[in-house]
Amino acid sequence: MDSTPRGNRLHIAIFGRRNAGKSSLINALTNQDIAVVSHVPGTTTDPVYKAMEILPVGPVVIIDTAGIDDTGHLGELRVQRSLDVLNKADMVLLVMDAGAGLTEFELDIAERCQEKKLPVVAVLNKTDVHPVTESQMNEMKEKLGLEPVAVSALTGAGISDLKIALVKSAPPSWDDQTIVGDLLNPGDVAVLVVPIDLAAPKGRLILPQVQTIRDILDHDAMAYVVKERELKECIATLNKKPKIVITDSQAFLKADADTPPDVLLTSFSILFARYKGDLETLVAGAKAIEKLKPGDKVLIAEACTHHRMEDDIGTVKIPRWLRQIVGGELDFHWSSGHRFPTDLSEYKLVVHCGSCMINRREMLSRIMQVQQAGVPIVNYGVCIAYVQGILRRALSPFPMLQEMLDDED
């Protein structure tokens, strides 16, 4: 996080009246005492830029501004400096005191943001002191044109919902990620292992494979595509050692056996866990597999609907592998497409697909919903690598995550 240049971070400006709890909200979002908090109105005078990390949003710059209702000659100057921040922000958090409600100050900021096409998340703070009713929320939504998120920066209530709102409202450019290009230098060789079996679509490759090939080419590297039986021969006949081998998860063991130990190895699904979600959280979720007991409820979630094959990965293979580890029957439930259960608390583990058919915002939103319920989550690729005993090898492109596994072990 510290090495991320400020220009590459999502810039989030926090606006609100004096003593609305803007600084307290920053501390609640980061779970750190970063901003100075005081009951005295006007503690923040000039815009303050703070580089930090908000999980799972990632590296951001929070711009803490002076109260938009500041008064006097100096107050007017502070307000103008705060308004100038709108020219630098990627999105705005508009913070309101639940006890004070909506005023012309918030309406003015919302209008300015609309003119600049800046995404806005409205936050109703201090709900621990001033609980709000559904009718009050609806009235504010109608007047402001935004659905507010009710939170208490003091107790932490609603902060997870606020993070979900941040992810969903962030500007489109925010989730422009690379699949594998940042792991390659121009001229590097990547070998892609693509099994052609009953599950493979006739006459074409699946979307993650196509997207990975395009990402490799966009970064001026070279892509070789082989079936799992041809991997060893391909590596042996290349004049240049591959930088990385990327395999379909179902061919992990074969690819591991045929890939030299000094060549990076991972899977499409693990790359997409990083590209579309939060790989660190999904790796941590794999550790929960060992804690499963017979009879536990497990949700297997897929983001699309497709024709089930005889040995389908989500309905047959993963359940079989999990039963083998647990040593008994598990209570499996399935969801597919845009349907995602609202009550997740009953599950002991959520196993999610590679999310190739949804965007990063939706996948992060799902991850946060599962985390809110206190349930671990893992994706297909990480799960398969874990149950087959090669997760550490499959994380070879990501040494920090390997260290995380070592620390947990």
Side-chain angles (χ1 to χ4, degrees), residues 87-267:
N87 297 321
K88 306 173 184 178
D90 297 310
M91 65 183 304
V92 168
L93 277 185
L94 184 54
V95 185
M96 294 167 282
D97 184 328
L102 180 66
T103 69
E104 69 274 9
F105 294 107
E106 290 83 15
L107 292 170
D108 177 62
I109 293 295
E111 185 177 343
R112 290 173 185 268
C113 291
Q114 188 175 17
E115 291 172 357
K116 293 179 177 293
K117 296 182 171 55
L118 274 177
V120 181
V121 175
V123 186
L124 207 54
N125 194 17
K126 302 185 182 181
T127 55
D128 54 309
V129 180
H130 305 286
V132 290
T133 64
E134 186 175 350
S135 62
Q136 288 174 314
M137 294 285 281
N138 290 335
E139 181 183 358
M140 188 168 295
K141 177 182 177 181
E142 184 178 345
K143 290 181 178 178
L144 193 58
L146 300 165
E147 185 166 1
V149 181
V151 307
S152 167
L154 181 64
T155 67
I159 295 299
S160 294
D161 293 328
L162 177 55
K163 289 183 179 181
I164 291 173
L166 279 173
V167 168
K168 288 183 174 180
S169 302
S173 59
W174 163 74
D175 56 6
D176 287 344
Q177 304 287 321
T178 180
I179 300 171
V180 68
D182 60 321
L183 304 175
L184 299 169
N185 294 314
D188 279 346
V189 172
V191 179
L192 280 58
V193 181
V194 178
I196 304 298
D197 54 19
L198 289 175
K202 188 174 182 180
R204 62 183 177 87
L205 300 176
I206 62 174
L207 183 60
Q209 295 163 355
V210 174
Q211 288 179 310
T212 303
I213 293 170
R214 175 58 191 262
D215 192 50
I216 291 168
L217 298 178
D218 283 343
H219 288 84
D220 298 323
M222 295 177 281
Y224 288 76
V225 184
V226 299
K227 298 192 292 291
E228 68 272 28
R229 295 186 301 273
E230 301 158 349
L231 173 60
K232 191 171 184 178
E233 181 181 356
C234 174
I235 293 176
T237 55
L238 286 173
N239 292 327
K240 186 175 186 178
K241 183 184 293 184
K243 176 71 176 292
I244 190 171
V245 170
I246 305 166
T247 180
D248 183 283
S249 296
Q250 299 181 68
F252 248 141
L253 291 177
K254 176 67 173 166
D256 181 39
D258 293 344
T259 301
D262 58 343
V263 173
L264 301 176
L265 172 68
T266 192
S267 72

